[in-house]
Amino acid sequence: MLSVLAAFDHEHPALCLTDISRRAGLSLTTTHRLVGALTEWGALERDESGVYHVGLRLWEIAALAPRGLALRQIALPYLEDLYEATHENVQLAVRDGRDVVYIEWLSGRSAVGVHIRVGARWPLHATGVGLALLAHGDPQLQEKYCAGELASFTPYTITDPARLRRVLAEVRRSGVAVSDRQVTADALSVAAPVRGPDGTVTAAVSIVVPHADAQVPVLVPAVRVAARGISRALGWQP
């Protein structure tokens, strides 16, 4: 059943039975049985053309995740304040393994284009929020990450482990992460960690602006204020 659900992603939000079977690596007979059970339960929905979509029952269950909708609701007022002050892309993300997962994104019409949507994943080293989360992660996680493959998206993406270690050390020293043109060649992001009640970094907030107009010294205080506000709302007391 998990293989059936995993067949759906942002590039494939709607699938016919044959496509689900192929992407899940299951026989058509098995797929038909599992899809029927998932549809009856509400995890999948079938439209009039016979195409399947993710069902609202999964959204209902996912809303209970403490690092998902619950965190988003607490953080949203601070994200909105940051957006109103800048009218640029504002993002909230958490770590999942080697990836950063975006749980909220606010954007204006004139904001720089980003390859981000709620639920999107990107490698930790390539984004501001990812660097903030990785820098405050367990040292063993950092070493394991640096020893793995560092995917490249632009000529500016960090792909050298030694350089990544230096960047992470600077993030810990300064309290903010700056990702300059690592995902797209026209965008720069500034991120700060969000802490839970015990001081552990649980999320990160960032602002993404056009590289050509970026004023990092101006952006840093705004992002820090938003991150600190969310942290306090979560119960953190510095």
Side-chain angles (χ1 to χ4, degrees), residues 130-175:
L131 289 172
L133 290 165
L134 183 58
H136 292 89
D138 186 275
Q140 291 183 343
L141 165 68
Q142 296 176 28
E143 283 304 311
K144 185 176 180 181
Y145 191 95
C146 290
E149 180 182 358
L150 301 177
S152 177
F153 304 99
T154 74
Y156 305 97
T157 307
I158 300 172
T159 56
D160 175 41
R163 182 187 169 203
L164 179 56
R165 291 187 182 94
R166 292 194 298 270
V167 169
L168 296 178
E170 176 61 21
V171 172
R172 288 190 294 273
R173 186 198 68 79
S174 66

Side-chain angles (χ1 to χ4, degrees), residues 68-220:
L69 187 59
L71 174 58
R72 171 192 172 275
Q73 289 176 330
I74 293 173
L76 193 55
Y78 304 93
L79 301 177
E80 291 175 337
D81 286 346
L82 183 56
Y83 170 75
E84 288 299 330
T86 62
H87 289 282
E88 300 287 357
N89 292 288
V90 174
Q91 304 164 343
L92 180 69
V94 297
R95 182 180 72 84
D96 185 30
R98 293 177 57 88
D99 296 331
V100 59
V101 179
Y102 291 86
I103 61 175
E104 185 55 280
W105 167 50
L106 304 178
S107 180
R109 293 180 180 178
S110 60
V112 63
V114 294
H115 299 308
I116 296 299
R117 64 176 69 87
V118 173
R121 288 176 174 265
W122 281 90
L124 291 167
H125 69 282
T127 66
V129 285
L131 289 172
L133 290 165
L134 183 58
H136 292 89
D138 186 275
Q140 291 183 343
L141 165 68
Q142 296 176 28
E143 283 304 311
K144 185 176 180 181
Y145 191 95
C146 290
E149 180 182 358
L150 301 177
S152 177
F153 304 99
T154 74
Y156 305 97
T157 307
I158 300 172
T159 56
D160 175 41
R163 182 187 169 203
L164 179 56
R165 291 187 182 94
R166 292 194 298 270
V167 169
L168 296 178
E170 176 61 21
V171 172
R172 288 190 294 273
R173 186 198 68 79
S174 66
V176 294
V178 178
S179 178
D180 187 6
R181 296 170 289 174
Q182 287 212 87
V183 174
T184 60
D186 60 348
L188 176 145
S189 70
V190 177
V194 172
R195 299 182 182 274
D198 62 355
T200 303
V201 172
T202 59
V205 60
S206 72
I207 183 170
V208 183
V209 302
H211 164 78
D213 302 327
Q215 299 182 42
V216 175
V218 176
L219 298 174
V220 166

